[in-house]
Amino acid sequence: MSAPTELLNVQIDGVWYQFKKGTRVIEACAQAGKFIPHYCYHPKLSSPGNCRMCLIEMGMPKTGPDRKPELGADGKPVISWIPRPQISCAQDITEGMGVRTDSSLVRECRHGVMEFLLINHPLDCPICDQAGECHLQEYSVEYGTAGSRFLEEKVKKPKRVELGPRVTLDDERCILCSRCIRFMKEIAHDDVLGFASRGSHTYLTAHPGKRLDSNYSLNTVDICPVGALTSTDFRFKMRVWFLKETKSICTSCATGCNTIVGSRENVIYRQTPRENDAVNSAWMCDYGRLNIHYVNSPDRLKFPQVREAQGLANVSWKTALAKAGEELKQFQRNSVAVVASAKMTNEELWLTKKLIDSLGTVYHDVVPRAGQADQLLMSADRNPNTLGAQLFGITSEYPGSKLREMTEKIASGEIRAVVALGEDLTQIGLAESDLKKLTALIVVGILPNETTRNASVLLPACAFSEKRGTMINIKGRLQRLNHATLAPGEARDDWEIIRDLLQQLTGSNGIYLIDDVFKEIAETIPEMTGLSFGRIGDHGVQLVEESEDAQPVAMTV
Amino acid sequence: MVSTIRTPHPREKRIIFKNIDRPGWTNDIGCYLHDGGYEELKKAFTMKPGQIVNEVKLSGLRGRGGAGFPCGVKWGFIRPGGTKPVYLICNADESEPGTFKDRYIIHQDPHQLIEGMIISCYAVNAQLAYIYIRGEFPEGAKILERALAEAKEHGFLGKNILGSGFDLEIYVFRGAGAYICGEETGLIESMEGKRPYPRIKPPYFPAALGLYLCPTIVNNVETLCNVKHIVRIGGAEYAKMGKPNNTGTRLLCVSGDVQKPGYYEFEVGAITIGELINDICGGMKPGRTLKAVIPGGSSAKVMSAKDRYKLKTKQPDGTMAETEMGLEDIPIDFDSLAAAGSMAGSGGVIVMDDSRDMVWALNNINEFYAHESCGQCTPCREGSLWMKKITGRMLHGGGVEQDTDTLKSVADNIAGRTICAFGEACAWPTQSFVAKFRDEFMGTAHKKGNGNGSTNS
């Protein structure tokens, strides 16, 4: 049991509040509903106090001759105000502190800083990617003026600087808040950014001989409060106010970083991290962030197909599913194998297990994807839901350990039918010639590959942003995917496809809502008792206690 | 070094500058020892460190770098018995325009500084000290390095100094040419190999979180030299020099439109601005009259000769009364200049006569501060260059009616809102010039300037 946190009394704009000891003044004000504008302050980074936007009036309890606080008529301490305005971002509250967030001095300070920040700013909002989510714009509305008193020439600085492969810098827009520098130093531990020159001519740059090529470089774009740092991938693609924001999770590794998918008209334009201290702090890696464009690929599989004499032909879903059912019924038990994916959702995996049980085969597994883990967020397991696949019995403690036996038996002809769910069999050691030997190859997928080309029945499915569902990350946290975009053509949600295959085999009545699939899971799996999509919430639920050897998540200093 | 040897003025009281321009004086340790050098160090070692701190507190010594903070109080912030090492840094970054006193100590009397430093280090228990010297003083750095080597050879530095059991090393650290390195936390950042961005206070008060986040004392060259003399005569005796709260002597650097500019040492408050100009510095140039004085380095607020100043002064019967006086009657000490709306600052007295174009003068200052702003925090970074651009435009033609008010408002938006005192340093000249010489500034609107700094040619 930890000791109860001490509460301190602080007066904000004349009203006394209590906050936990260790609260920053700026955070205490926010908790009291008094938002303090700021640029350089970021709760996950050190506070340099350089932007001066968060200036407030501060006071300390007045002490009498006995060194005890003097009390006013209300029995509360009398506050002795410091004549100079103070920054609120770098100090913790103290007992009896007074804060004024809306005095004429504070308003003057904000007004002055806003003016200073804009005099040399290019004001190129019409073509700036940050427009719509720019703090200069935002605070200009509240603390700026319509006109400018600045009659001089603006300072010229470098434009279109490629700081690295994924980040483009406009130094004229930069307000020198140093958030990006601090992120690279304190979080990414790759101290490549810094300021050069001095005074108003100061500009952000990479240190000589260095590039901003860290796998976390795009976080600097997220935390840049202005349009200085832009994502080379997203730049000039879409006005941000047209983007629909959908809360989701990244599916590029087992960490499951919480994300926001930015889409418009069924096209994903960007994916950005969403704060979750239990998973990814406020960050995500560039690899995961940019691994979205396949969703919009023109090659996406759009129609169910069955193999005919001339090759694969588009058919109706009813025909395709009936054909798949017919084929599977011929090959029961161990002549059929199921190659599933640890990229599938729990709901899909749950139904897949039922399919496996109904087929009665012992040959089922997922395809492992291993990479190098880093010390920040990226997991060595590049599948987002290996834990789910294990939990539902699709794979064992050693994912992929059965694949070798399965491929041998496919090559030898012992296994004559395969259900491939979201995986390309040529990636597990099978040659195209092996696939051609199969009597039935039922494939659920989203993009063409050797396996889809050799399918006997091809069933087009959904990408991560096109469906709902849950996954369990490496630390045992159950998290939700949400529906951001529509699948192309006639592609269907994976869980529905598997349900329909199951129905073909068993004739059992179908489930009509994915929520009901989850309900079934929650009723069966003890760790998920009582949970529902709603209860999982936006930040997920920890299913098991975090183990010591689990992948470290974002470390904030 | 070439220097014009000049005998001190009879009204001077030379303590710190005793050996400057002294006939036959050389800056080597032999000459210093022959003159009784390092005797105060020996005396200091007979005292307890706390005693020395008390003597310095008793002396009333105020910092000579510009802010005038009481030296003993600063030292008192170092808690004895801490687990972290204590550092002492001598701030020899003398960069304030109009100030040229420390360099003469360094060039001509380096051992006085070193002796003062050793005593100070002993007092605050610093076993490692640095002299941070500005990059523009390469000669001074060499002299100091040689002097430190001499001191070490003679056992004044190193292990167990003079059998006292006290160990100390002093190193010279050379700056790279930035005014902001004179700001103590900027200086510390610079020494740590970083950009000299001043630190936010709180929490980074040097006495608690200084160099390498250890307790650190940063003192000006002249301040540290004074410590030697406090040990010599005692704090109480020292405090008899000058005036209460303005004790000791003060080095003044006079530049500008006087007949004999130069460096002088007086008891604090012993002379007035008028006496300094007319009696000591030979008066204004022929045919010229006094227009303005910047009394404490370029960042001090300018004082107009036309204005009347109200100061509280001690009357013959011992009571305090408010007296109105002209610029020339103001005594040069910390409190009088502060009461008159300016400051004693770094002791750089800049005198301007009636030929001076105040727009030109302010633009000159603004150019300096715009060039030297470190750029860390918004108001100073953007405001200093903006002010320079406005005065530049006023000067070279293109001034408009609202410039004067804009200038004042920009300065008002800087002062008091920055990380370090540079904000005030760059805002005060503009605030004061515009307030005191408003007509000259207003007069530039729609008028073509000649840009050569003179209204008469």
Side-chain angles (χ1 to χ4, degrees):
Chain A
M1 280 292 285
S2 57
T5 316
E6 196 184 332
L7 291 175
L8 300 179
N9 296 289
V10 176
Q11 190 206 67
I12 299 173
D13 294 333
V15 181
W16 287 92
Y17 300 87
Q18 284 195 323
F19 304 102
K20 282 182 189 162
K21 191 180 178 183
T23 307
R24 282 282 157 90
V25 174
I26 194 169
E27 300 290 355
C29 292
Q31 287 171 29
K34 302 281 185 175
F35 177 78
I36 312 239
H38 56 273
Y39 291 104
C40 69
Y41 171 72
H42 189 286
K44 305 288 184 196
L45 303 173
S46 64
S47 292
N50 64 36
C51 77
R52 316 309 281 179
M53 194 64 193
C54 74
L55 287 169
I56 42 113
E57 280 192 77
M58 193 183 283
M60 296 300 166
K62 198 174 182 176
T63 48
D66 57 352
R67 301 195 129 197
K68 283 182 182 157
E70 270 181 37
L71 299 182
D74 58 353
K76 302 280 189 186
V78 176
I79 291 165
S80 165
W81 296 94
I82 304 169
R84 287 167 62 115
Q86 304 289 309
I87 50 173
S88 54
C89 65
Q91 272 194 75
D92 287 351
I93 51 160
T94 54
E95 178 59 32
M97 179 186 271
V99 177
R100 289 179 183 146
T101 72
D102 201 24
S103 65
S104 61
L105 173 63
V106 171
R107 283 196 297 272
E108 254 176 55
C109 288
R110 291 175 185 171
H111 189 278
V113 171
M114 266 324 296
E115 182 180 41
F116 283 138
L117 286 174
L118 291 178
I119 56 174
N120 283 301
H121 188 85
L123 299 172
D124 57 346
C125 308
I127 52 126
C128 178
D129 279 297
Q130 192 80 358
E133 54 185 11
C134 173
H135 289 238
L136 282 174
Q137 288 184 328
E138 201 178 322
Y139 301 155
S140 278
V141 176
E142 284 172 83
Y143 314 109
T145 46
S148 171
R149 303 189 289 170
F150 190 71
L151 306 175
E152 326 305 326
E153 270 201 26
K154 289 177 191 257
V155 175
K156 296 278 180 284
K157 290 186 188 179
K159 310 280 276 186
R160 294 174 295 278
V161 181
E162 285 178 23
L163 279 181
R166 294 173 293 279
V167 179
T168 306
L169 163 70
D170 184 322
D171 265 309
E172 290 184 348
R173 291 178 187 159
C174 176
I175 59 165
L176 305 167
C177 73
S178 78
R179 276 183 174 190
C180 53
I181 297 174
R182 284 175 281 140
F183 171 81
M184 289 310 296
K185 189 174 177 167
E186 297 165 14
I187 306 291
H189 303 296
D190 186 15
D191 191 6
V192 295
L193 296 179
F195 291 135
S197 194
R198 71 185 184 203
S200 192
H201 301 280
T202 306
Y203 63 96
L204 175 70
T205 183
H207 294 315
K210 302 273 186 180
R211 292 192 85 204
L212 179 63
D213 54 7
S214 153
N215 190 30
Y216 292 88
S217 69
L218 284 166
N219 292 288
T220 63
V221 175
D222 300 332
I223 59 176
C224 180
V226 301
L229 294 172
T230 52
S231 160
T232 308
D233 178 68
F234 177 68
R235 221 164 121 80
F236 303 131
K237 296 287 197 309
M238 183 50 64
R239 305 309 330 211
V240 298
W241 53 83
F242 290 130
L243 292 178
K244 180 179 78 175
E245 297 197 329
T246 308
K247 288 169 184 162
S248 191
I249 54 172
C250 175
T251 56
S252 291
C253 86
T255 302
C257 290
N258 290 209
T259 62
I260 290 173
V261 173
S263 62
R264 184 188 183 194
E265 309 261 332
N266 291 323
V267 176
I268 303 183
Y269 287 92
R270 69 175 181 185
Q271 181 173 232
T272 48
R274 179 165 57 89
E275 191 171 333
N276 186 344
D277 284 343
V279 182
N280 55 310
S281 186
W283 324 116
M284 74 183 296
C285 77
D286 291 3
Y287 165 76
R289 177 197 301 255
L290 295 178
N291 192 17
I292 50 172
H293 296 304
Y294 71 90
V295 175
N296 301 332
S297 166
D299 299 332
R300 282 288 296 275
L301 302 174
K302 298 184 184 74
F303 303 101
Q305 293 181 318
V306 296
R307 183 156 301 282
E308 289 176 358
Q310 298 81 6
L312 285 168
N314 291 358
V315 292
S316 70
W317 271 101
K318 194 176 171 190
T319 309
L321 288 164
K323 174 92 184 303
E326 257 171 51
E327 286 184 350
L328 286 177
K329 278 177 196 161
Q330 296 170 40
F331 306 101
Q332 298 286 302
R333 309 211 48 101
N334 292 340
S335 58
V336 59
V338 176
V339 178
S341 176
K343 294 159 92 174
M344 293 162 75
T345 65
N346 291 327
E347 295 70 25
E348 292 156 16
L349 290 163
W350 172 259
L351 294 170
T352 300
K353 184 60 171 50
K354 287 191 173 185
L355 184 70
I356 290 165
D357 291 348
S358 153
L359 290 167
T361 178
V362 299
Y363 296 119
H364 53 85
D365 206 341
V366 296
V367 180
R369 279 183 180 76
Q372 192 83 33
D374 64 19
Q375 290 302 301
L376 197 52
L377 289 170
M378 195 176 245
S379 166
D381 182 357
R382 298 292 157 80
N383 277 315
N385 197 21
T386 303
L387 261 64
Q390 288 170 328
L391 182 64
F392 300 117
I394 311 296
T395 186
S396 60
E397 196 184 340
Y398 305 102
S401 57
K402 232 181 197 168
L403 289 176
R404 186 168 174 170
E405 192 189 348
M406 285 160 67
T407 53
E408 280 168 7
K409 287 196 155 60
I410 291 166
S412 70
E414 208 171 315
I415 291 174
R416 290 157 62 206
V418 173
V419 180
L421 302 170
E423 294 288 2
D424 178 6
L425 302 181
T426 61
Q427 300 299 306
I428 58 166
L430 287 168
E432 204 185 341
S433 57
D434 296 323
L435 302 184
K436 288 193 193 300
K437 281 186 219 157
L438 291 166
T439 316
L441 177 54
I442 319 288
V443 181
V444 176
I446 64 168
L447 281 167
N449 54 41
E450 287 310 308
T451 305
T452 63
R453 275 188 278 276
N454 287 286
S456 57
V457 179
L458 178 56
L459 306 167
C462 286
F464 81 99
S465 63
E466 294 158 356
K467 57 191 180 189
R468 295 170 72 207
T470 62
M471 292 186 176
I472 306 168
N473 82 351
I474 190 94
K475 290 172 78 181
R477 195 172 190 83
L478 181 68
Q479 306 193 101
R480 270 193 337 206
L481 281 173
N482 285 310
H483 189 123
T485 52
L486 290 173
E490 292 179 14
R492 270 196 195 172
D493 210 330
D494 305 50
W495 80 270
E496 292 178 313
I497 299 171
I498 302 164
R499 174 202 62 190
D500 291 347
L501 286 175
L502 196 58
Q503 209 173 353
Q504 292 292 331
L505 287 181
T506 62
S508 71
N509 200 7
I511 307 170
Y512 295 97
L513 290 169
I514 191 167
D515 306 67
D516 292 334
V517 181
F518 188 82
K519 199 176 164 195
E520 222 176 77
I521 298 171
E523 282 165 358
T524 317
I525 304 288
E527 288 90 340
M528 299 199 195
T529 304
L531 289 177
S532 65
F533 274 12
R535 290 209 179 123
I536 293 169
D538 290 337
H539 290 98
V541 170
Q542 197 66 36
L543 294 183
V544 286
E545 284 292 305
E546 284 181 34
S547 65
E548 285 293 310
D549 53 357
Q551 182 79 9
V553 289
M555 278 163 293
T556 49
V557 180
Chain B
M1 187 192 70
V2 182
S3 74
T4 319
I5 303 294
R6 205 158 62 185
T7 49
H9 191 277
R11 288 194 63 181
E12 285 192 59
K13 178 157 183 141
R14 288 211 171 184
I15 294 172
I16 307 298
F17 265 8
K18 186 185 93 180
N19 301 322
I20 306 301
D21 300 340
R22 190 172 154 190
W25 181 263
T26 54
N27 63 13
D28 57 279
I29 197 164
C31 185
Y32 189 71
L33 287 170
H34 183 74
D35 197 52
Y38 289 104
E39 287 303 316
E40 277 75 41
L41 177 62
K42 289 172 193 163
K43 184 180 176 186
F45 283 142
T46 67
M47 301 164 73
K48 290 210 159 61
Q51 277 179 284
I52 300 174
V53 175
N54 280 338
E55 290 299 321
V56 171
K57 279 183 182 165
L58 211 58
S59 75
L61 174 66
R62 291 173 66 170
R64 301 311 200 223
F69 192 80
C71 182
V73 176
K74 190 186 261 188
W75 287 9
F77 293 146
I78 302 284
R79 304 230 172 271
T83 52
K84 287 177 171 181
V86 177
Y87 297 107
L88 184 137
I89 303 169
C90 169
N91 186 345
D93 195 63
E94 185 168 66
S95 306
E96 181 75 9
T99 315
F100 43 89
K101 59 188 179 68
D102 297 338
R103 65 178 295 176
Y104 287 97
I105 298 170
I106 292 163
H107 280 235
Q108 297 191 33
D109 203 1
H111 285 286
Q112 179 187 205
L113 170 61
I114 293 165
E115 188 176 3
M117 281 184 76
I118 303 169
I119 298 168
S120 304
C121 287
Y122 174 67
V124 299
N125 193 29
Q127 291 172 30
L128 194 50
Y130 297 91
I131 303 171
Y132 188 101
I133 188 164
R134 64 182 302 195
E136 294 87 338
F137 285 176
E139 187 65 25
K142 277 186 215 158
I143 292 166
L144 284 170
E145 275 163 3
R146 198 200 65 204
L148 287 169
E150 288 174 337
K152 191 156 187 179
E153 277 167 27
H154 284 77
F156 300 128
L157 287 171
K159 294 273 177 202
N160 190 19
I161 299 167
L162 303 177
S164 64
F166 179 66
D167 306 336
L168 174 66
E169 295 292 346
I170 302 179
Y171 298 101
V172 172
F173 190 100
R174 292 175 63 172
Y179 173 80
I180 200 64
C181 290
E183 198 279 346
E184 57 182 3
T185 59
L187 182 155
I188 287 168
E189 286 281 301
S190 162
M191 285 190 63
E192 291 182 3
K194 296 179 253 174
R195 286 172 73 82
Y197 280 166
R199 296 174 174 175
I200 48 173
K201 289 148 275 192
Y204 299 105
F205 294 108
L209 298 168
L211 184 63
Y212 309 120
L213 301 185
C214 293
T216 303
I217 291 290
V218 184
N219 280 141
N220 170 260
V221 172
E222 184 188 343
T223 312
L224 289 166
C225 289
N226 269 292
V227 173
K228 167 190 154 95
H229 302 286
I230 291 166
V231 167
R232 179 167 56 86
I233 60 174
E237 196 62 27
Y238 181 95
K240 288 180 188 164
M241 289 191 289
K243 309 200 295 199
N245 202 37
N246 298 266
T247 59
T249 64
R250 193 77 211 258
L251 302 177
L252 296 181
C253 319
V254 186
S255 61
D257 303 324
V258 290
Q259 300 269 15
K260 288 195 287 179
Y263 41 84
Y264 303 93
E265 183 174 2
F266 303 97
E267 279 192 57
V268 184
I271 57 160
T272 62
I273 288 174
E275 286 167 339
L276 178 69
I277 294 170
N278 300 312
D279 303 347
I280 315 291
C281 296
M284 305 301 291
K285 288 182 178 159
R288 292 293 173 199
T289 55
L290 179 65
K291 183 173 186 176
V293 170
I294 301 172
S298 61
S299 59
K301 289 187 175 179
V302 69
M303 305 170 84
S304 167
K306 279 188 189 158
D307 285 355
R308 302 291 292 170
Y309 299 85
K310 282 179 184 164
L311 269 72
K312 281 202 169 101
T313 53
K314 208 173 191 175
Q315 301 302 299
D317 63 356
T319 59
M320 298 296 284
E322 200 173 74
T323 320
E324 200 184 276
M325 60 180 77
L327 172 62
E328 297 193 24
D329 299 325
I330 300 172
I332 302 176
D333 62 67
F334 292 102
D335 293 343
S336 299
L337 288 168
S342 188
M343 65 170 179
S346 60
V349 182
I350 302 165
V351 182
M352 288 178 273
D353 70 23
D354 57 338
S355 73
R356 292 292 160 185
D357 174 348
M358 297 319 255
V359 180
W360 180 90
L362 178 60
N363 184 57
N364 183 295
I365 294 172
N366 284 350
E367 280 182 353
F368 176 80
Y369 288 109
H371 185 252
E372 293 295 345
S373 167
C374 78
Q376 184 185 198
C377 67
T378 309
C380 166
R381 175 182 71 233
E382 302 300 334
S384 59
L385 184 65
W386 190 3
M387 294 191 299
K388 178 208 131 171
K389 284 179 173 176
I390 295 173
T391 50
R393 183 166 47 74
M394 290 171 112
L395 194 62
H396 297 110
V400 295
E401 293 280 347
Q402 61 267 37
D403 284 340
T404 310
D405 291 334
T406 305
L407 266 180
K408 183 193 178 295
S409 150
V410 171
D412 291 348
N413 280 338
I414 303 171
R417 300 173 190 187
T418 53
I419 291 175
C420 78
F422 189 110
E424 284 75 36
C426 75
W428 283 345
T430 292
Q431 287 174 328
S432 58
F433 270 79
V434 168
K436 305 274 180 180
F437 303 98
R438 186 175 172 87
D439 291 349
E440 278 189 51
F441 284 85
M442 290 303 287
T444 60
H446 316 299
K447 209 174 79 177
K448 288 273 176 222
N450 57 27
N452 70 0
S454 167
T455 46
N456 291 10
S457 57

